[in-house]
Structure formats: structure tokens, C-alpha cells
Amino acid sequence: MPAEDAARIQRHLPGVVQHAVEVAPLERAVDWLPLRQTTYQYTRPSGGEATIKVAETSRPPGHPVGATSGGWRMDVSDGPTRYLRLDATKSQRGVVVPTDVSTANGLLIRLNPPQPLLLEGGPHPPRDIAVKIYDVHEPSIVTHSGTVTCTWRDMGGWRVKTPAGEYDTRLVRMHYSGSVGPASVSGYTYTFYAPGVGPVAFSDSRDISAFLFFSDDTDHAGVLKAAPAR
């Protein structure tokens, strides 16, 4: 692992990474991020706890009103509701995020093309994401806009230790760079995915829009506290 990446992970997740391991490649995203009713509970190294809930929606955003084919969302305890989509395009295959809703800030965030969350295969070139942020009360009003370059990378297999046990995982790194409204966007996120389980540890799991509201990233990390409840 590059020294800069190792230093960032050690800062936010001290003692979590054990050693490199051989792990199956990311051939099917849903094997590593199961789209099923699931609640993940995390302990924050800096103190406190966090939860991530994956839940089915009655209608996937973007589908006709009245559609009942179902979709998925991810609710972060101290963050947004993230609507998930399973893409199978030539340029991007895997789980992506086309829309965020920040309830606390009353904002709807549109990402075009969608932000990658967990991709299949690779390598994947950087992609420019147009970000438009709307007032939930007046969704025709764009409060902020900009462009963020997102670089997604599979960092290989790693053994990690969490309160819920030890897991063989694949590490996904995302780097953001750009600007949205008055905010300069620059940062890294690291997520360790265990097959059949999902995200078991993360360092800075913020969405693109969160860079507008938080300048300190020291509290945005977590390790799995217990086996996820289904």
C-alpha cells in the first residue's frame, strides 16, 4: 500500500488493518455490497457510534410514479439518505449513487453521472461529476452547483480487525477534487468490503455534498461493532 494511503488509514482507523491477503476480485458488486434489508452498527475510533441502514424503496427515483419494481437506499445516521442504483453501462458497472437527500440541511443533491460506490472490474478512469444542489422546499431552485472529479480505485485484499471479528476484505479508495458552490472539494474515502457482509470499516464515508458542511474529517470513520442485522 502506498505510504500516503497507509498513513491516512492509520490516522482514522488505528490498528484495524492487519496485513495484505489474497481475496477474490470484485466481479459482482452485490456480492460485496448486498442489496437487502440490513442494519450496520459501527464504533467510531474517536468515540461514539454510527449506523448505516440499507432499505428497499417502493419506487426507484427516476422511474414513473406508481412504479413498484423497487429500489434501494442507504440511510447514514449522521449523513444523507443515498439512493442506490445498479448500473451495467459500458463505462461503469456496479452500485452507484445518482441522488442524495440531506434531510438535516433540507437539500437534494443530484450527481450526473452518478457517483461510483462499488464498481466491478477495472481499472476505472477518473470521471467528472456535475453536482447540482437544490432546496427541498423549492426543488426548482439550484442553491449550489459545480464539478467534482472522482477517481475510484480497487486497492486489493486486506485482512482487517473489528469488534465484530476479523474479515478478509477488498479496499476501495475514492479521491474527490473540484468545487461545489463556495466549497473546495478535496479528499479521500477508504472503505473495506467483506464478501457477503458489506462495509466492515471505513475512513471518511462522507458523500460529495458533505464537503459543503464539514471541514473536519476526524470523526467520519467507523469499524463494524457486530454482525449486521438483517
Side-chain angles (χ1 to χ4, degrees), residues 82-159:
R82 319 201 70 192
Y83 287 91
L84 309 181
R85 191 170 80 198
L86 193 59
D87 269 9
T89 64
K90 290 183 179 180
S91 61
Q92 185 166 259
R93 297 178 60 90
V95 180
V96 299
V97 182
T99 308
D100 285 337
V101 177
S102 177
T103 304
N105 295 287
L107 298 174
L108 184 151
I109 302 96
R110 184 76 176 92
L111 306 168
N112 186 28
Q115 176 188 338
L117 190 60
L118 187 59
L119 301 181
E120 301 169 355
H124 298 277
R127 64 170 33 201
D128 292 335
I129 299 175
V131 182
K132 289 187 176 180
I133 301 180
Y134 303 85
D135 186 331
V136 168
H137 181 64
E138 294 288 350
S140 62
I141 298 176
V142 178
T143 62
H144 301 296
S145 64
T147 301
V148 174
T149 300
C150 180
T151 305
W152 188 99
R153 182 181 174 187
D154 180 354
M155 301 284 287
W158 298 90
R159 182 77 169 178

